[in-house]
Amino acid sequence: MSASTSQAAIPSLFRTCPSTGLKVHDHAERLIRAHAVVATVMLLVGGIAALLVLLTRWQAIHLLDAVWFYRILTVHGMNMLIFFIIFFEMAVLLFAGPILLNCRMPAVKTAWGAFGLMVLGMLLVQWTMWTGQADVLFTSYVPLQAHSNFYLGVILFAVGTLITTGIFFATLVVAKREKTYEGSVPLVTFGALTAAIIAVITLLHGAAIYIPTWFWSMGMMEVDAQVYRMVWWGLGHSSQQINVAAMVSIWYLLATLTVGGVVLNQKVSRIAFVLYILFISMASAHHLLVDPGMGSAWKVWNTSYFMYMAVLASMIHGFTVPAGVEMGMRLRGFTQGFFGWLKRAPWGDPGFSSLVLSVVVFGFVGGITGVTFGTEQINIIAHNTLRIPGHFHATVVSGTAMAFMGLTWYVIPLIFRKRIAFYPLVKIQPYLFAFGMLLFSLAMTFAGTFGAPRRLWDMTYSGAPFDVQYSPAMDIIIAVMAIGGLMGIVGGGIYILATVWSVFFGKPLPEGKEAEYVGSIPLGLIRRPWTETPATDEDPEAPGRFGAVPGTVFLVAIFFVAFVVYYFANWALLSFTWQVG
Amino acid sequence: MYENGIQSPKGVWWKPAHRAEKVWIAIAFGWCMVLFAMMPIWHLRGGQNVSGIRHKVEAADFRERTNEFIAAYQVGEDRGMPIVEPPPGSDIYLLGMMWQWRPILRLQEGAEYILHLSSVDVNHGFNLHPFNINFQVVPGYDYGLRITPTEAGEFRIVCNEFCGVGHHMMVGRVEVVSAEESRWGGNASGGDGGDPNGQAGGDQ
């Protein structure tokens, strides 16, 4: 039934490949588990912080005082954007390396040492934040100063990350040399490789800024405020591009696992990944468009990632991922009409619904707003308003975190060998989370259009010498943001509850008995569509004159129209304001 | 034969793409060129840009310039903060500090000014409310922006970069008056005060 290639890949997922050696594999798995567990704890801490921040910005409740609001906002940013995401990404690298390439885990002790370093650095940062010695927010813009241990903690964490990334590169060498796979590395591993390369670029920026800032915090040198912003964003924005590359890899992975999605064209998808590596670190400029330190030529060139070549990459993946799903479904006989494949898709599989929601919200909201706000002049009406967190919650939360969550429902049975607790709840989790975050992001974006600042404790400006009046609609918009945010937090809570319960108190999943556990593990693991050989090698007959994937063509056409309309609407909005230049 | 995402492609995978893929990439590439071209085009044709006149500046020097500016053109005071009405066309100064914007500016509708922004302590964010014009205010840097208020009224400057626990109290004021109401309306425009542009002779 199966092509030999897929059979070679599957046993390794299930740890039945005798050639790899079970003991060594255990190390990779244990490392994945450790990283995943810490990532989830970080998500919990960051999620509680999210709730507190939300209930404070919701002016009707205004929970925290000013000191604790900014403190908890710092905690939220560091735990979500650095600790949760990077611990999870290290788990992804450990999966895309030893597991997918079917090889042993090299440098096991070093890998545990790196993990220990990351945990140590993280604890140091947590300690300074919670004791009020680092009320500087995620960006810690110099000359706002935190305790030197805050910077030291970040440096230790980064060193640990760099070592694990290095071990991932070593895994590729080991696998190649020991011939654990034939041909080229799978696309998912290739994507993870690009994420790892971007991680190295990012961490070098991090070293270039946090080490001098650490010395500065001890009074040993000066750091220029503008130079800090430029180099720091080489870390801050590039790290979000690690997320993008990791997320897109997970899109391809989830498409494979849930519906047997295929890679339409290896060349196209791989070139798109390479474009990320080449141009992504220029995105530091997105944060400096209305800064005094750089000229317009620099801003235009950098903010556009070399004439938008990284945007082109995302637009390519935005086509090839759904097209791969569509082709995979059509090859399995779901050939009816434009959207028969979508109608018959496993919408109750939380891996699949997470995939679709991640692609859609990331693309339509995160992507379009990001490119628009990252336009040099349009940034005048976006910089530091709620439009910015509106944008990045659509990318990092509804995009990256959503994809990570979707993958988790496969990782628990595959790596932890457990059934998923509260599975009926888990099936609705992606919808709750995605729609909540969508509402939240859109409301934030609208609030920012009216000028509402980000990172502000009190929108009534109590104690200020002059009053500030917002549009009467603002209260409603903020209430919608709060409701959306609460829905997202409930969705995140279900995720944490189900994963923690499954991993620590869950019922075991005997190997090879997946079919007996319908209703407690995702459908993809029961049908295992990635092992089936499609009926035909030829592209199936598709309706209309739109080629082999007409449904995807229709969907990207809608996306394109939305993009063009939103982009030019913002130019129009800009033209109404005071002349400035 | 297609591989999936977790299979290793064998042999040469450098194969021609589907037509739909090629068409989409061509459209996306064209759109990227439009996105890129719009920024230089707006520099030539648009009224809102970020170029400015940019210099490094010592905090003490900027504070000094601001004080001279206030001394030269102060017309009043509100809650202890000087109100300054500079002539159209002049260089005007706005200093950000924890947690106030200094001074209050009274500007003339339709006149152009060069607004200098800087901070004497940490980063601040210039947000002109309710127009939603935003600029970063960085200590050590003087950002000189040519601005032209397009309508009369009362406006606020809200700080939108986190600058410490009093961040939310950092609200400044801008007043825009018509040429008739302007102190400089008659003199500076060199006419009867009715010149809507109010720019001629603005340097007097």
Side-chain angles (χ1 to χ4, degrees):
Chain A
M1 53 162 259
S2 169
S4 61
T5 50
S6 54
Q7 275 184 341
I10 298 325
S12 76
L13 287 174
F14 288 95
R15 299 179 296 160
T16 49
C17 185
S19 63
T20 55
L22 206 63
K23 200 180 163 206
V24 189
H25 238 101
D26 272 355
H27 284 300
E29 289 191 327
R30 265 188 235 148
L31 277 161
I32 292 172
R33 283 183 212 175
H35 284 84
V37 167
V38 177
T40 309
V41 175
M42 297 296 96
L43 181 66
L44 177 64
V45 176
I48 292 168
L51 181 64
L52 296 172
V53 169
L54 185 73
L55 291 181
T56 307
R57 279 225 68 152
W58 193 3
Q59 209 72 40
I61 296 181
H62 208 52
L63 184 67
L64 301 175
D65 65 24
V67 170
W68 275 96
F69 172 76
Y70 295 118
R71 188 165 298 162
I72 294 297
L73 189 56
T74 310
V75 167
H76 174 62
M78 291 303 289
N79 276 288
M80 292 304 206
L81 282 171
I82 297 286
F83 301 135
F84 157 63
I85 290 225
I86 294 184
F87 273 114
F88 201 102
E89 277 164 356
M90 293 304 108
V92 169
L93 288 189
L94 291 160
F95 177 79
I99 306 289
L100 281 188
L101 293 181
N102 212 11
C103 88
R104 66 189 172 87
M105 174 76 210
V108 172
K109 282 193 184 132
T110 314
W112 281 110
F115 174 71
L117 214 50
M118 288 171 74
V119 171
L120 182 69
M122 179 272 288
L123 290 173
L124 210 52
V125 171
Q126 301 282 9
W127 174 64
T128 52
M129 287 191 303
W130 287 98
T131 53
Q133 300 177 75
D135 295 337
V136 292
L137 302 193
F138 173 58
T139 45
S140 56
Y141 290 137
V142 164
L144 273 182
Q145 198 173 67
H147 190 279
S148 59
N149 282 340
F150 173 79
Y151 308 105
L152 178 63
V154 176
I155 292 166
L156 293 179
F157 181 82
V159 170
T161 309
L162 204 51
I163 294 170
T164 306
T165 310
I167 293 173
F168 170 74
F169 295 133
T171 310
L172 298 182
V173 176
V174 168
K176 186 90 191 163
R177 192 172 290 164
E178 298 179 0
K179 296 191 170 54
T180 61
Y181 65 95
E182 287 176 59
S184 308
V185 295
L187 182 63
V188 171
T189 306
F190 188 87
L193 173 61
T194 63
I197 293 170
I198 295 168
V200 172
I201 299 169
T202 301
L203 291 165
L204 292 178
H205 282 100
I209 198 58
Y210 273 106
I211 293 172
T213 306
W214 182 41
F215 286 124
W216 166 76
S217 71
M218 296 183 292
M220 292 158 72
M221 66 179 285
E222 292 288 307
V223 175
D224 183 272
Q226 182 72 77
V227 171
Y228 179 93
R229 282 173 57 79
M230 183 173 81
V231 185
W232 191 89
W233 279 113
L235 163 83
H237 203 105
S238 306
S239 64
Q240 307 318 311
Q241 317 286 1
I242 314 173
N243 299 343
V244 172
M247 172 190 74
V248 174
S249 308
I250 291 173
W251 285 352
Y252 285 111
L253 179 57
L254 281 174
T256 301
L257 295 176
T258 55
V259 293
V262 295
V263 180
L264 216 56
N265 187 292
Q266 297 278 358
K267 175 179 74 176
V268 169
S269 294
R270 285 172 200 237
I271 289 176
F273 273 122
V274 172
L275 288 176
Y276 279 153
I277 302 178
L278 294 179
F279 304 116
I280 221 92
S281 60
M282 300 167 86
S284 166
H286 290 190
H287 303 265
L288 312 173
L289 291 173
V290 294
D291 272 34
M294 298 81 184
S296 278
W298 186 92
K299 288 172 179 176
V300 168
W301 187 247
N302 283 280
T303 197
S304 71
Y305 306 101
F306 185 78
M307 300 192 280
Y308 289 98
M309 286 303 106
V311 172
L312 178 65
S314 286
M315 288 178 78
I316 292 174
H317 290 304
F319 180 93
T320 56
V321 170
V325 169
E326 178 172 0
M327 181 59 80
M329 292 291 284
R330 286 187 185 277
L331 287 170
R332 281 168 183 76
F334 302 108
T335 53
Q336 309 87 332
F338 272 48
F339 295 114
W341 58 283
L342 264 187
K343 236 180 274 170
R344 303 281 299 277
W347 293 98
D349 180 335
F352 182 78
S353 52
S354 296
L355 164 66
V356 173
L357 294 165
S358 172
V359 173
V360 170
V361 182
F362 180 90
F364 275 84
V365 186
I368 290 176
T369 58
V371 174
T372 304
F373 303 161
T375 304
E376 188 196 20
Q377 295 93 343
I378 293 174
N379 195 250
I380 295 171
I381 54 169
H383 182 70
N384 273 353
T385 68
L386 276 179
R387 301 181 91 181
I388 303 304
H391 150 71
F392 72 69
H393 281 85
T395 54
V396 184
V397 186
S398 313
T400 306
M402 181 89 262
F404 287 4
M405 288 175 174
L407 181 62
T408 305
W409 311 125
Y410 279 76
V411 168
I412 290 171
L414 284 171
I415 303 289
F416 290 87
R417 303 303 316 170
K418 294 285 173 70
R419 283 176 257 166
I420 293 168
F422 314 112
Y423 193 68
L425 218 49
V426 166
K427 282 165 93 167
I428 60 162
Q429 188 272 347
Y431 298 98
L432 191 61
F433 188 75
F435 287 118
M437 291 316 295
L438 179 64
L439 218 51
F440 177 79
S441 296
L442 290 177
M444 264 194 168
T445 309
F446 281 121
T449 311
F450 292 106
R454 64 186 292 198
R455 297 176 155 184
L456 180 70
W457 170 62
D458 184 7
M459 269 180 72
T460 66
Y461 302 90
S462 55
F466 314 109
D467 66 316
V468 180
Q469 300 292 332
Y470 286 103
S471 150
M474 187 62 86
D475 287 342
I476 299 164
I477 299 171
I478 295 293
V480 172
M481 177 188 94
I483 291 163
L486 288 173
M487 279 171 70
I489 288 168
V490 171
I494 294 173
Y495 170 81
I496 293 172
L497 177 72
T499 51
V500 171
W501 199 277
S502 309
V503 167
F504 293 105
F505 315 108
K507 298 183 185 121
L509 179 67
E511 284 193 31
K513 299 264 166 96
E514 279 80 6
E516 294 169 27
Y517 297 101
V518 180
S520 60
I521 55 171
L523 213 53
L525 288 172
I526 294 154
R527 291 190 188 151
R528 303 184 6 154
W530 67 90
T531 61
E532 300 164 7
T533 306
T536 168
D537 281 3
E538 298 296 309
D539 284 354
E541 191 82 11
R545 291 182 286 115
F546 297 98
V549 284
T552 302
V553 169
F554 191 82
L555 295 175
V556 294
I558 296 174
F559 169 78
F560 187 69
V561 170
F563 200 165
V564 173
V565 168
Y566 189 76
Y567 180 73
F568 284 110
N570 271 276
W571 281 113
L573 204 57
L574 177 69
S575 71
F576 298 145
T577 196
W578 286 12
Q579 294 214 339
V580 61
Chain B
M1 187 64 212
Y2 295 102
E3 296 96 14
N4 62 35
I6 60 173
Q7 286 167 335
S8 299
K10 306 282 187 299
V12 178
W13 44 258
W14 194 271
K15 292 173 191 158
H18 279 79
R19 199 172 65 88
E21 266 178 311
K22 285 182 188 161
V23 171
W24 173 246
I25 293 169
I27 291 171
F29 183 83
W31 176 236
C32 288
M33 294 305 110
V34 172
L35 294 174
F36 185 66
M38 274 307 289
M39 292 186 283
I41 288 171
W42 201 265
H43 272 283
L44 297 174
R45 296 292 172 99
Q48 296 78 20
N49 279 293
V50 302
S51 317
I53 303 155
R54 302 167 301 101
H55 294 290
K56 291 198 80 163
V57 67
E58 292 294 324
D61 292 345
F62 195 85
R63 189 194 294 269
E64 178 71 29
R65 277 178 225 169
T66 308
N67 286 339
E68 282 169 19
F69 166 68
I70 293 169
Y73 302 117
Q74 181 166 358
V75 293
E77 200 176 272
D78 182 5
R79 271 156 272 207
M81 184 63 73
I83 302 173
V84 177
E85 187 170 358
S90 63
D91 285 74
I92 62 178
Y93 293 83
L94 185 70
L95 182 149
M97 58 202 265
M98 292 165 159
W99 292 289
Q100 47 180 256
W101 294 105
R102 190 180 151 80
I104 294 169
L105 298 170
R106 181 180 291 164
L107 307 178
Q108 185 181 312
E109 182 186 356
E112 186 185 272
Y113 301 85
I114 299 175
L115 170 65
H116 291 268
L117 297 169
S118 192
S119 159
V120 293
D121 39 50
V122 298
N123 273 271
H124 295 288
F126 172 91
N127 167 260
L128 184 73
H129 178 85
F131 279 101
N132 200 16
I133 295 173
N134 303 280
F135 285 93
Q136 187 77 16
V137 182
V138 182
Y141 290 80
D142 173 356
Y143 206 167
L145 294 158
R146 293 175 198 84
I147 58 155
T148 310
T150 48
E151 62 180 276
E154 262 292 317
F155 306 103
R156 296 285 179 262
I157 301 163
V158 173
C159 181
N160 67 6
E161 183 62 80
F162 173 65
C163 56
V165 75
H167 173 43
H168 66 280
M169 293 186 288
M170 189 164 163
V171 177
R173 241 187 86 191
V174 176
E175 224 179 283
V176 178
V177 295
S178 65
E180 294 80 25
E181 290 170 281
S182 167
R183 174 186 174 203
W184 304 95
N187 300 335
S189 63
D192 57 14
D195 181 349
N197 289 319
Q199 286 182 5
D203 286 333
Q204 284 173 17

